[in-house]
């Protein structure tokens, strides 16, 4: 809870009078309250669209809570259609174990402009708690190391699609069991 604000600055955009880096407020910060009937406490998920930023340009963004800076990261806007770019596609990353952490670290070192995850983002049933344990800490860690993961999601365009584990059916013929797993479909 609290009042959140986002500011961004694209590299090369300076205040004309002072030459200092120019920070722009972002007005489209959208909070969504996430409530489940599982063991995960209600929490907010925030979405902000930063821009416009010229294709291929680097930028930095800051998050403020009650006017105090609580987070800062940098990224790069998608390249123009005529510019080269690189991407990584990796699936079945959802256990949060040593392999997932090492993969995140290796992906960060490659510095792709796009990370595609074509399913099975988390195991075993796509529950909200599984995302909070096995996905976000690994792909959005504060630093990059084989043993912890990497800060990919804060700096790299990341697109994921749900797989069978993400929609609560680790076995293809299995039915959804909302009573047993009320916090599944955390992907959505």
């Amino acid at each position: 809870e609290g009042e959140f604000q986002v500011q961004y600055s694209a590299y090369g955009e300076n205040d004309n009078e002072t030459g200092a880096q120019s920070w722009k407020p972002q007005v489209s910060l959208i909070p969504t309250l996430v409530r489940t009937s599982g063991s995960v406490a209600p929490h907010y998920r925030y979405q902000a669209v930063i821009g416009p930023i010229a294709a291929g340009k680097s930028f930095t963004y800051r998050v403020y809570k009650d006017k105090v800076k609580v987070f800062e990261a940098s990224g790069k806007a998608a390249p123009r259609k005529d510019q080269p770019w690189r991407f990584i596609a990796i699936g079945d990353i959802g256990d949060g174990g040593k392999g997932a952490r090492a993969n995140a670290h290796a992906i960060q070192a490659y510095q792709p402009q796009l990370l595609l995850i074509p399913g099975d983002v988390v195991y075993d049933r796509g529950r909200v708690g599984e995302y909070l344990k096995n996905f976000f800490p690994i792909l959005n860690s504060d630093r990059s190391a084989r043993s912890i993961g990497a800060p990919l999601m804060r700096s790299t365009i990341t697109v994921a699609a749900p797989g069978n584990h993400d929609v609560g059916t680790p076995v293809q013929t299995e039915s959804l069991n909302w009573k047993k797993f009320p916090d599944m479909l955390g992907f959505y």
Side-chain angles (χ1 to χ4, degrees), residues 149-161:
L152 284 163
M153 293 184 68
R154 60 183 75 182
S155 61
T156 304
I157 299 168
T158 303
V159 179

Side-chain angles (χ1 to χ4, degrees), residues 26-90:
Q26 190 58 42
V27 294
S28 61
L29 184 63
I30 304 164
T32 302
L33 179 60
V34 178
R35 290 187 178 132
T36 70
S37 53
S39 61
V40 176
H43 59 280
Y44 282 93
R45 180 180 65 221
Y46 292 88
Q47 177 183 355
V49 177
I50 298 173
I53 299 172
K57 288 284 187 184
S58 296
F59 62 92
T60 298
Y61 63 99
R62 296 174 172 170
V63 178
Y64 292 84
K65 179 181 179 188
D66 297 326
K67 299 184 181 180
V68 175
K69 184 173 71 169
V70 294
F71 182 82
E72 182 173 319
S74 296
K76 197 170 192 177
R80 292 186 323 258
K81 292 178 183 179
D82 63 338
Q83 290 178 316
W85 58 283
R86 56 181 148 183
F87 74 95
I88 297 241
I90 184 170

Side-chain angles (χ1 to χ4, degrees), residues 117-159:
I117 306 170
D120 293 344
V121 180
V122 298
Y123 299 138
D124 191 45
R125 296 187 179 273
R127 299 172 74 183
V128 172
E130 292 169 341
Y131 280 89
L132 295 174
K133 179 183 174 192
N134 296 339
F135 181 68
F136 293 113
I138 286 71
L139 270 76
N140 201 30
S141 63
D142 287 330
R143 62 185 181 86
S144 185
R146 286 184 56 82
S147 61
I148 60 171
L152 284 163
M153 293 184 68
R154 60 183 75 182
S155 61
T156 304
I157 299 168
T158 303
V159 179

